[in-house]
Amino acid sequence: MEPNFEIRRLLDVMPASARMTTKIVSKPEQAKVIDAVFPLPWNQERPIYINFDLWHRLTKPQRDLLLLQKVSWLAGVKWFKPNIYQGVVLAGLLAGLIESAQSDIVGVAVAGGLSAIALVRIWRINKSQESELNADVTAIRVAQRRGYSETEAAQRLLSAIEAIAKIEGRTSFSFTELMRCQNLRAIAGLSPVGIPKN
């Protein structure tokens, strides 16, 4: 497989909104078929690393869905989306500045601790299994705009997750992969049992 040709094809599959920040990088030395580093707030670029020596073992629809899922996951990481935790971080930082101006060490420590707790909560939300499940659903929606049916897209993504485990030489799935597979089976109509909402 010619990496440059495949990268151009994958850029066409990718949503236009993601092309500005997401970059596909060939990384033949990595053990994973496809990988992306968790994006930190100060990182503008969000690279997706692909080992094209392993990537070519997947079918074209599997590759499309895997890329769309990874792009959806990266796009779903929101550090500055207005919610209660961002408000707590800002309030803690503001209180810390006020307390430091008044030379109140205890107040600075309490305000800093409050901000730290809220930042950890934001981190956990963005790294949760729910973010992976949401990325799967978003990838299926984008795939429908690329000509796949919902059922077909779910089946292709499910088969891709299973194929990647074999290609990477893993004998078992992670807990998150098991949850994703069960959810995809329900979407594809292969199982009546889905993932509970809460």
Side-chain angles (χ1 to χ4, degrees), residues 76-197:
V77 174
K78 304 282 190 216
W79 284 98
F80 302 111
K81 182 176 78 175
N83 68 22
I84 187 74
Y85 299 110
Q86 277 80 1
V88 171
V89 169
L90 290 175
L93 291 174
L94 183 61
L97 289 172
I98 292 169
E99 295 298 328
S100 67
Q102 296 175 354
S103 300
D104 183 359
I105 302 297
V106 174
V108 170
V110 169
L114 186 64
S115 290
I117 289 169
L119 278 172
V120 167
R121 184 67 184 137
I122 293 168
W123 174 272
R124 284 186 177 169
I125 288 169
N126 284 325
K127 295 226 22 152
S128 67
Q129 289 94 4
E130 187 179 353
S131 68
E132 291 278 354
L133 294 172
N134 291 339
D136 289 346
V137 172
T138 304
I140 289 168
R141 274 200 310 264
V142 175
Q144 287 177 281
R145 295 195 297 261
R146 303 290 186 265
Y148 294 93
S149 69
E150 182 183 39
T151 303
E152 180 189 12
Q155 288 173 344
R156 299 299 186 213
L157 186 53
L158 174 62
S159 67
I161 293 169
E162 293 168 345
I164 279 182
K166 288 178 186 170
I167 291 169
E168 292 175 356
R170 292 186 281 125
T171 56
S172 62
F173 293 118
S174 69
F175 178 72
T176 302
E177 287 173 328
L178 288 172
M179 282 181 51
R180 290 176 62 205
C181 287
Q182 185 58 43
N183 194 47
L184 290 168
R185 281 189 191 95
I187 293 170
L190 302 173
S191 171
V193 181
I195 301 298
K197 297 294 181 195

Side-chain angles (χ1 to χ4, degrees), residues 4-25:
N4 291 331
F5 177 77
E6 179 68 359
I7 288 171
R8 282 194 299 274
R9 190 189 73 77
L10 293 173
L11 287 172
D12 287 338
V13 172
M14 194 184 298
S17 59
R19 291 179 196 151
M20 300 296 282
T21 55
T22 308
K23 183 179 179 185
I24 300 171
V25 179

